[in-house]
Amino acid sequence: KARAFALSAAMTIAANVATFLERPESKKARRIAFHVVRGAKKFLWGSGRAAWIMGTTALVLVVPLVFEIDREQSAAEMEGMQPGGALPPPAGLQPTPQGLVMPPPDARR
């Protein structure tokens, strides 16, 4: 008996919903809702594609740059930790733009 009542109540609700959806006001609301949902889907799809493009671009361009900057900072820190900094050239050698060059023999006396 309770099952038959529940079935009849469900049928009544379904019939009421069907008649409500056929009313002109609800048709307009359904059409608006359809367009809102369609627009939301398009927006989410487009923003997902944009996020993918931005993410892969960051991986290809930005991440190697970050690694290179970190490596240069580490090298600069290691140079700063060495006692005395850069070593002076050995005695008798003169620094030039081409590198360290021995002076001519007559200038060494």
Side-chain angles (χ1 to χ4, degrees), residues 69-86:
I69 290 171
D70 184 48
R71 188 172 68 170
E72 292 216 9
Q73 284 179 343
S74 297
E77 288 176 8
M78 291 300 282
E79 272 186 21
M81 292 176 135
Q82 290 179 353

Side-chain angles (χ1 to χ4, degrees), residues 29-43:
R30 253 189 338 174
R31 190 174 66 243
I32 291 171
F34 169 77
H35 288 293
V36 167
V37 169
R38 188 176 73 175
K41 281 182 182 179
K42 282 185 175 184
F43 173 75

Side-chain angles (χ1 to χ4, degrees), residues 103-109:
D106 56 334
R108 280 191 268 169
R109 292 183 200 171

Side-chain angles (χ1 to χ4, degrees), residues 11-105:
M11 295 291 278
T12 304
I13 290 172
N16 287 340
V17 168
T19 56
F20 174 75
L21 291 177
E22 293 301 320
R23 292 172 45 191
E25 316 79 60
S26 64
K27 282 187 178 182
K28 185 176 179 181
R30 253 189 338 174
R31 190 174 66 243
I32 291 171
F34 169 77
H35 288 293
V36 167
V37 169
R38 188 176 73 175
K41 281 182 182 179
K42 282 185 175 184
F43 173 75
L44 291 175
W45 179 257
S47 63
R49 287 176 49 193
W52 172 258
I53 291 169
M54 290 175 63
T56 54
T57 301
L59 284 175
V60 171
L61 298 177
V62 176
V63 172
L65 177 66
V66 169
F67 285 144
E68 184 64 27
I69 290 171
D70 184 48
R71 188 172 68 170
E72 292 216 9
Q73 284 179 343
S74 297
E77 288 176 8
M78 291 300 282
E79 272 186 21
M81 292 176 135
Q82 290 179 353
L87 297 174
L93 294 181
Q94 300 171 350
T96 65
Q98 293 81 22
L100 296 175
V101 178
M102 288 288 287

